[in-house]
Amino acid sequence: MRPTLILGGTTEASRLAAAMAARGSPALFSYAGRVEAPRPQPLPTRIGGFGGAEGLARFLREEGIGRVVDATHPFAARISRNAAQVCAQAGIPLLSFERPPWRPAPGDDWTEVPDLPAAAQALRELPPERIFLAIGRQNLELFAQAPQHDYLLRLVDPPEAPPPLPRAGIVIARGPFTPEGDLELLRRQRITKILAKNAGGSGAEAKLIAARRLGLPVLLVARPEAPERPRVAGVEEAMDWIHADLGV
Ligand code: 3Y8
Ligand code: NAP
């Protein structure tokens, strides 16, 4: 069986890696190298970009990859585009393993915005608030246009430079998070609004559950368009797909 490449960086990717390792199916795991110490995986792991689509195509060829599972985050749009393009050209089967978007539940006070620039624009027009900007480290510069707010940032690693925001508190923490922990954080920081990406899944959901309990408004950023390709939302379905064409 030729090895499967898992494009990782999410809770789902880690679950799939564990299932592949338990079954003894040949697989490689890939991280972008975004954080200092990504979670170790029970599979041979490569860390860092491939070098664009052509770098990915070369990697697939040189490693004799039989199929690719794109288990990256729904906001990781570039790697997903590259994988779709390269796998189509190389005739290598590609599966997207992604969690469905979160849907509002009774008691949620969500305002959906199409993308991060629209979210920054929405904050620009508001009187000063205490905002939990729970989008990680990338794209913070967009919010310099709304400097009137007190921001709380949650980053995986300490930032090399101060964030481009005049008033920002920083918590260094790596998910998955818990509703109790996030409830405590929101209370302690006297947060009045949360900005989050519609990541889906359980690892980032804690802050939304805590917001529901506190009746806090949430500005939720819709995920970018994903390329057309087969998709599953569960480990078992992904494992069936990987082993289907092998009759094993
Ligand atoms: C490097 C590798 C696992 C995966 C765990 C999931 C859950 C916990 C919640 C908040 C939101 C955020 C952020 C978040 C979560 C999981 C998952 C998820 C959100 C690690 C990891 C890598 C990254 C990259 C990092 C981004 C950042 C985003 C923080 C590992 C820990 C905000 C996304 O400093 C940076 O440059 C960080 C960049 C991309 C978004 C951003 O734009 O800043 N994730 N996160 C991956 C790589 O190198 O390829 O150590 O596990 C993984 C996880 N982070 O195996 O259990 O499945 O989503 N990650 C968001 O959802 O909004 C935090 O604070 O409430
Ligand atoms: P992105 O914008 O789609 O990708 C940017 C570049 O990073 C890609 O072109 C590729 O570089 C490299 N890359 C991304 N994911 C990779 C992977 N798994 N293996 C090897 N190279 C990868 O991605 P991103 O939003 O920066 O996310 C980076 C990683 O963090 C992904 O693994 C993603 O799953 C994880 N993550 C992202 C978010 C988020 O909010 N964006 C949240 C949680 C986890 P080359 O072009 O050089 O190949």
Side-chain angles (χ1 to χ4, degrees), residues 50-226:
F50 293 100
E54 62 284 359
L56 175 57
R58 185 169 47 253
F59 180 84
L60 297 181
R61 231 182 4 262
E62 287 169 358
E63 296 294 328
I65 298 295
R67 67 204 64 70
V68 176
V69 177
D70 177 356
T72 60
H73 190 278
F75 279 72
R78 189 136 42 103
I79 185 67
S80 293
R81 242 190 339 268
N82 290 354
Q85 173 201 325
V86 167
C87 288
Q89 283 164 353
I92 293 177
L94 167 69
L95 177 74
S96 172
F97 178 18
E98 64 188 47
R99 55 269 182 126
W102 292 311
R103 299 260 181 265
D108 281 338
D109 174 5
W110 292 1
T111 304
E112 311 220 48
V113 286
D115 53 31
L116 282 164
Q121 180 62 33
L123 294 184
R124 183 173 166 171
E125 290 143 18
L126 291 176
E129 290 210 46
R130 296 184 59 78
I131 298 177
F132 180 17
L133 202 50
I135 56 167
R137 170 174 66 138
Q138 301 170 92
N139 315 111
L140 292 178
E141 66 288 343
L142 289 171
F143 298 88
Q145 67 179 291
Q148 69 273 29
H149 302 300
D150 281 287
Y151 289 105
L152 171 67
L153 309 181
R154 178 151 65 179
L155 307 178
V156 178
D157 297 318
E160 292 94 13
L165 303 167
R167 289 202 301 281
I170 298 178
V171 165
I172 301 299
R174 164 198 306 257
F177 301 104
T178 64
E180 297 66 34
D182 279 6
L183 198 60
E184 164 54 29
L185 178 71
L186 296 175
R187 283 197 173 117
R188 189 171 69 246
Q189 297 281 345
R190 292 179 291 112
I191 297 300
T192 60
K193 191 186 294 300
I194 295 177
L195 171 60
K197 297 173 184 172
N198 196 332
S202 54
E205 194 181 16
K207 57 190 175 283
L208 303 184
I209 295 166
R212 186 176 303 141
R213 287 198 205 150
L214 293 173
L216 281 187
V218 174
L219 209 47
L220 201 62
V221 182
R223 55 180 68 176
E225 278 302 304

